[in-house]
Amino acid sequence: MKRPTRLFALAIAAACMVGGLAGIPAASASSTDAAFNSATGGLNVDYAKYLSKHDIVYNRPNTDPDYGLTVGNGKTGAMAWNDNGLKMQVSGVDASEQTAFGAGLVKLNTTPAMDTGYSTFQQRLSMYNGTLTTKYDSNRTVTVMGKPNSEVMGVHVDDTRGGVSSVSLDLSLWDLGQLGNSGDVPNLDTWKNVSTYADSTGAGISRGQADPNNFGYTLAATVEGAPFTTKVVDSKTVRLTITPSSSYTIWFTTSTRLNASDHNSVNAAKSALSSVKSTGYASTLTSYQNWWHSFWQKSFVQYSNATGDADYMENAYYLGTYMIAAGGFANYPFHFINGDFRATGDNTKWSNAYWYWNQRDVYNSFLASNHADVMNTFNNLYSRNFNTLKAYTKTRYNVDGIWVPETMGWDGNARGTVGSDYTKNIWSTGYEAAFNMYQQYKYTNDSNYLRNTAYPFMREVAKFYTQMLSVDSSGKYYVASSNSHETYWNVPNAITDLAAVRSLFPIAIQTAKDLGQDASLVPQWQKVLDNLIAYPSDANTYLPHTPPIAQTRNNENVASELIWPYNITGIGYPDQQKAVNTWNARPFPYGNVWANDAVQAARLGLGNQTFDGMKTMLKKYQTYPNGLTDNTNGVFEYFGVHLSAMNESLLQSYNGKIRVFPAVPSDSSFVGKFTLQASGGFTVSSEREAGEVKYVGLKSQYGNSTTIVNPWGNQQVRVRKASDNSTVLTTSDPEFKLTTAANTVYVVERTAKPLSGYSATTLTGTANQDAKTLAGTNSTLGIGKTANPMVNDSAVTYDSNWYSTSARGYGDYNDDTHHSTVVGATAQYTFTGTGIQYLSERNGDMGKVDVYLDNALQGTVDLYVSGARQAQQVVWQKSGLAGGSHTIKVVNKSTSVGMIDAFRITP
């Protein structure tokens, strides 16, 4: 994790939506029907229609790259916006170390331009199909899609306009002269050196071709369905000139050296493009859509209420799942801050390594949503580096075991950790990696994975702790000095380390016994467990380490880690109230994009706090209409937290007990329905409406036993085998053990109100057609037909000489501004409209700025005024512009303060 920065919120809600929630129908519910399918063990869902209500829709062209919609095939992704047509920044997860560098820009150009001369426009991200489709009237449709299990994507164009005189596709890079080593690459020059090719098969750009780690890639393209020629335009641009046609497909790839059999990315690109072109667009699109359909059908979540707030949260759930999965099937993890999606060239931060805390936020929900293959990508980063980590642990600590650096490079290196006071003495990361591997086993029942991967890693981490703990005169084990994560440095008895031992050692002991291994280690681990000192605490709360509390260095709620993800307290535990007190007293509520407060609230059974927490996180961090954030500490991370919080509010199974709806809001209109995966290999489905849980459906995949918490308290329930309706158990106990048979569906129902009393239904939906807003926040999904005239300063592109401030209290729009005292400091914004106003403060410490419109100097504006400071002043304006795209540029003229507060756009 990183040092915190402030968030600058962006108000982008369409004017017609101000004052409430738009685009979301009130939740429709029926307490008399049920969607459970006794044959499959899941809910009956029309996934195509249901997910269509969560499509992200732009009803006017978006020219802001930060708002670009995101589409990907699991390994390669694109962030797309409108620039007199279609423009995308493309990235590949495995293209560079920690996905530090973007792959390039793809720009489709037509004459006349694709987005001229139309009356209707809609751009739609369909999560069910995995496609991004842009329609202009009825005569132009551009569809971005991909080939599954590959690094290939496509742009299919249907353009039946008459008079199209030219079509071209440019692949290009940005200026690499100032490229920094944000990705900890061993040779930056190989990432500055660019090679190109253009021949009859297509054209491409390559970088990183001499990277000694075998990273590097080729961004290349070809065309299906129309003749084309190719040429190298300049040192960083190649072009395909396409004969105008009513229908054609452009295939492009970010073929990586890492995944090429001979590390030759050019050959790999040519081969991949030839293959997909031979298969053809229609067949590839069908295969791609089927791949996404299969992905979605593995689980289901409904989270809705009468006001629509919960429905917006549900939309964010599906969008976040889509974005992470769109980059979640590569060799290396979807980096928490880069992933596949950005529009900033190579500019990024925190790319020198994978921060475990942040990566867990992205990935930890995917076991419950029945996508262990996605979680496996994350776990593989650590298991594949087993030998490297073990060797480095010996070198650094002179102990036999595994210590995992909190900030670890792709190859297991610790350079990002050992040089940082924030992370160099964190011990607990190894536990988290080992525990997540064990969790993967618990959800998949893969005994080979347990024996060959998860347990060996668990064993080595347990050995590390056994040797690193100190022993006092009474025989108690304690931690002399380590970091209590990033927030408290070099402190005694970090609660994260004590919790790691209490969580890991029991399962390591049991697994060793089950596997018949390490008989000599088990007594050592048991001795440590039996004699470990208590957690640091006061009378009411747990503390992050033994007092006195050290200076705080980061905004983490470390003591709350016991609740999640360390999994050693929660609902029904003897210390539940103390855990609740600790959560209530946490020092940094929702303090940054990594804040997992809402997940922990769910684990404590705090339904209203879970709901409010998810909404708070969206309010604070979901600032762009594509679902992303302007907080540069983690572009996707808060989405991952959101997924975990919603899953945990609906189903919990972390302690071997299955609980349905453990943390839902008290709102009587709330409707919750789900099919999710429980630890132990159980597919669990349930529905809750009007405050009533209707039933619990359970499909046992492997025949394990489990404990079910009675959702009706002490009411009598029966457990019925769905295949023959035989009753296998009747009980009024508040929780009960269920022994199951593999591949068998069971129904847990009230004896007095069985499932048979509900009529059968299928869950469905109506396709979204507009932008949505979250009431009481600036959060929106999608863009409406009518632009919000106010554009906050944070949407503007600034050079490095501008500085942002927030919470100013002077009356600025959104209470934030950007300012500079550097002569020549430049900021610009591209907008679509017929007029613009430039808003700023005026004050006695302020100077002059030049204003340009479409690269023509409009005049010099003096921001100086004597007397009181003036806020939200229109300091320059222009009207009567030709409708279309324009760019305003502001250049600071002096060492006095130049400022931008906002722009007001006339559509």
Side-chain angles (χ1 to χ4, degrees), residues 612-648:
D612 292 342
M614 286 190 283
K615 185 172 181 177
T616 296
M617 289 293 285
L618 291 171
K619 178 179 180 179
K620 294 184 72 170
Y621 303 120
Q622 195 256 298
T623 50
Y624 290 159
N626 55 7
L628 300 181
T629 180
D630 61 0
N631 184 305
T632 58
N633 284 328
V635 176
F636 306 93
E637 187 175 353
Y638 81 99
F639 258 152
V641 174
H642 183 78
L643 305 186
S644 290
M646 191 167 289
N647 285 348
E648 294 289 339

Side-chain angles (χ1 to χ4, degrees), residues 70-136:
T70 51
V71 57
N73 67 355
K75 296 181 180 180
T76 295
M79 193 159 169
W81 62 97
N82 300 101
D83 184 4
N84 293 322
L86 178 72
K87 192 171 186 177
M88 301 182 287
Q89 178 167 328
V90 179
S91 296
V93 176
D94 296 331
S96 61
E97 290 86 341
Q98 291 89 228
T99 323
F101 302 137
L105 297 172
V106 175
K107 175 65 165 56
L108 174 65
N109 304 279
T110 64
T111 305
M114 190 69 70
D115 54 359
T116 58
Y118 66 88
S119 57
T120 62
F121 171 92
Q122 189 174 85
Q123 189 171 57
R124 175 180 295 271
L125 174 61
S126 166
M127 284 170 279
Y128 181 65
N129 290 322
T131 54
L132 177 63
T133 303
T134 309
K135 293 184 176 182
Y136 307 84

Side-chain angles (χ1 to χ4, degrees), residues 20-41:
L21 189 73
I24 302 177
S28 60
S30 170
S31 59
T32 61
D33 62 24
F36 186 65
N37 186 319
S38 297
T40 65

